[in-house]
Amino acid sequence: MTRRTRRRAVASGLTALALVAALTSGGCSAERRDTLVVLGPWTGAEGIAFEAMLKRLDDGTGKTYAYRGTRSLRETLVAQLQAGDPPDVAVLNSLGELTEYARANLLEPLDTPGHPPWAPRIDVDGSHRTYWVPLKVDLKSLVWSKKEQGKGGGEERVPRWCVGLASQATSGWPGTDWIEDLVLHRSGPDAYARWATGKLDWSSPEVRGAWTAWARLLGERSRKSVDLSLTTSYEGTEDPDAERPRPRGLLNSPELDCTHEHQSAFIRYLYAKAKGKEGAKGGGGGGVRVDPSARFLPGPAGHDDTYEVAGDMAAAFRGGPAARELVERLSSGEARRLWHEEAEPELRPFFPGAGDPRPTDPGGDEVAAILTGGAKALCFDASDAMPPALRDAFHRAVLRYFRDPSAARLDTLLGQLDTARAKTGGGGLTPDLLCAPPAG
């Protein structure tokens, strides 16, 4: 219990958690609950599948597990911490947030080896420990494109890029993915990792060049087009012909008039049931194909086999040994098999191990092969590795640059981001933790 009674200043994004000393009375009851609560980001069909897996994951101790899904994960978790009633386990996609929680002594250290880049061993009070485990992972360095349906066939030679930057409180992240992928492919994993961990200036040629390369790739855009992209969800517009209102993906949103989309593997659920021919190399389905983004991004060929990735990690916030055991069981082969069985085909997760179940929808097997052995290096999403305050500033800067990609505006934005980096200290991760070869 004494771990949580320590008062400690928490880095910028968690200043509100300076109040967590109050949770010693409400969050550390001597009487352990029989039900362990898992807080996570999945709702709808994804949440149903995860909850079904959780119910089947019986550990033989008589304890039960309850899942609480929310799209406002960070806000919900911070509120629960302030109230002294955190969940036993929470699933987060931000290494920056997890590192801050660990250094604030809010996480239980785990008896498990590190698993870079998903769950590295981090330094807390001079001791290197693992504080979270990967549950599902994702491949970000991908481009989705339309198959040419007109006379003569073939693909578009010059991409017309789809851009949808809206995502409620986290609007801008689809643009940060562009910048991150461009830093990685233009300058390589070493520069990428130094930048993501606060060791490389935002105004450096490596980073500044990625912003200007993005503007060149997108080309000239009308004010109407810019405004539309700023207000259109990354999922595209709703399909008026669907039985229920549902997004139809950027490629199928006629208002955008585009042929190529830079997006993670998770977006495949939007195209899996669309009408059309199955995609070519890399699968795709619905008249859509998917390829590694290196094919479309400027950069040396030596960086083609490096990929930006993301993940959802589970950490124990309370619950003692039972919660720690649950965290490790959630990343076990049994849990992955059950999750694969419960999820709809286009929503089946990707896992980091070569022996884990793979999605069977078009393209799923190819993406899984890259994640588990086909890549030379996997580099964790840079913004998710940054302190939350810096990450949020990055989101806002992307939106402002998209509206005005002038050199003067970029200089101002990069200066502001360097100031934010100095205030946050760049986070608690070191460059060597951000990129690693697939575990296989």
Side-chain angles (χ1 to χ4, degrees), residues 25-359:
S25 59
C28 290
S29 170
E31 181 179 352
R32 187 181 298 168
R33 298 174 300 174
D34 287 332
T35 298
L36 297 178
V37 176
V38 179
L39 179 70
W42 305 297
T43 59
E46 288 183 294
I48 291 171
F50 181 81
E51 187 172 18
M53 176 274 286
L54 195 60
K55 288 181 178 178
R56 295 175 62 186
L57 197 65
D58 181 13
D59 64 1
T61 65
K63 292 191 176 298
T64 58
Y65 308 135
Y67 176 64
R68 304 287 182 265
T70 174
R71 291 295 183 95
S72 302
L73 183 61
R74 175 170 168 78
E75 294 80 3
T76 299
L77 180 57
V78 169
Q80 291 180 355
L81 287 167
Q82 289 176 328
D85 189 27
D88 298 284
V89 174
V91 183
L92 304 171
N93 64 6
S94 170
L95 299 191
E97 287 183 45
L98 286 163
T99 300
E100 287 190 344
Y101 289 133
R103 292 191 162 187
N105 291 309
L106 295 172
L107 301 184
E108 302 271 359
L110 306 174
D111 295 324
T112 185
H115 194 163
W118 320 105
R121 295 169 67 87
I122 63 171
D123 181 3
V124 176
D125 295 334
S127 179
H128 286 77
R129 303 288 297 274
T130 303
Y131 287 85
W132 56 85
V133 297
L135 298 193
K136 62 185 288 286
V137 300
D138 199 14
L139 185 64
K140 288 206 161 191
S141 298
L142 295 173
V143 168
W144 303 76
S145 60
K146 287 183 177 180
K147 297 278 289 180
E148 179 61 42
Q149 302 296 324
K151 184 178 179 180
E155 294 180 75
E156 293 282 341
R157 291 184 178 274
V158 179
R160 298 196 307 276
W161 291 103
C162 308
V163 182
L165 297 175
S167 182
Q168 297 181 353
T170 58
S171 292
W173 69 258
T176 66
D177 279 358
W178 267 104
I179 303 299
E180 291 157 5
D181 214 5
L182 283 161
V183 172
L184 180 60
H185 284 98
R186 292 177 75 256
S187 302
D190 290 343
Y192 176 94
R194 287 189 293 118
W195 165 59
T197 55
K199 307 300 187 295
L200 181 66
D201 290 349
W202 287 80
S203 54
S204 68
E206 296 91 336
V207 181
R208 193 182 195 284
W211 290 75
T212 56
W214 183 41
R216 287 194 300 271
L217 283 168
L218 296 184
E220 292 291 333
R221 295 190 167 234
S222 67
R223 176 54 58 194
K224 179 180 179 181
S225 172
V226 168
D227 290 342
L228 183 60
S229 290
L230 289 169
T231 56
T232 296
S233 166
Y234 67 93
E235 293 182 304
T237 56
E238 288 189 354
D239 183 356
D241 296 326
E243 294 182 5
R244 298 179 183 176
R246 57 164 288 170
R248 52 185 167 180
L250 296 176
L251 289 170
N252 293 328
S253 298
E255 301 90 339
L256 298 177
D257 186 27
C258 55
T259 60
H260 290 68
E261 175 184 4
H262 179 274
Q263 189 53 273
S264 308
F266 82 89
I267 207 70
R268 72 194 199 281
Y269 75 92
L270 291 174
Y271 302 122
K273 296 179 180 178
K275 295 179 181 180
K277 298 179 181 179
E278 185 175 305
K281 177 184 175 183
V288 173
R289 63 176 283 153
V290 59
D291 294 283
S293 61
R295 176 176 174 180
F296 301 89
L297 304 184
H303 300 154
D304 284 358
D305 291 330
T306 59
Y307 293 84
E308 183 185 4
V309 295
D312 293 288
M313 283 69 64
F317 280 77
R318 75 171 185 185
R324 294 196 298 271
E325 290 168 9
L326 174 57
V327 165
E328 295 182 16
R329 294 201 70 214
L330 285 170
S331 65
S332 68
E334 178 190 12
R336 291 171 180 174
R337 176 182 61 81
L338 294 174
W339 198 352
H340 179 86
E341 291 176 0
E342 294 292 343
E344 297 177 8
E346 66 271 19
L347 294 174
R348 284 176 178 157
F350 294 103
F351 302 117
D356 292 324
R358 294 183 176 187

Side-chain angles (χ1 to χ4, degrees), residues 324-402:
R324 294 196 298 271
E325 290 168 9
L326 174 57
V327 165
E328 295 182 16
R329 294 201 70 214
L330 285 170
S331 65
S332 68
E334 178 190 12
R336 291 171 180 174
R337 176 182 61 81
L338 294 174
W339 198 352
H340 179 86
E341 291 176 0
E342 294 292 343
E344 297 177 8
E346 66 271 19
L347 294 174
R348 284 176 178 157
F350 294 103
F351 302 117
D356 292 324
R358 294 183 176 187
T360 54
D361 59 297
D365 190 67
E366 288 86 347
V367 169
I370 292 172
L371 285 166
T372 59
K376 181 170 66 177
L378 303 175
C379 294
F380 203 87
D381 182 292
S383 56
D384 283 341
M386 296 173 186
L390 182 55
R391 175 199 62 199
D392 295 347
F394 188 10
H395 291 171
R396 294 190 295 270
V398 159
L399 297 174
R400 290 166 182 162
Y401 182 67
F402 188 79

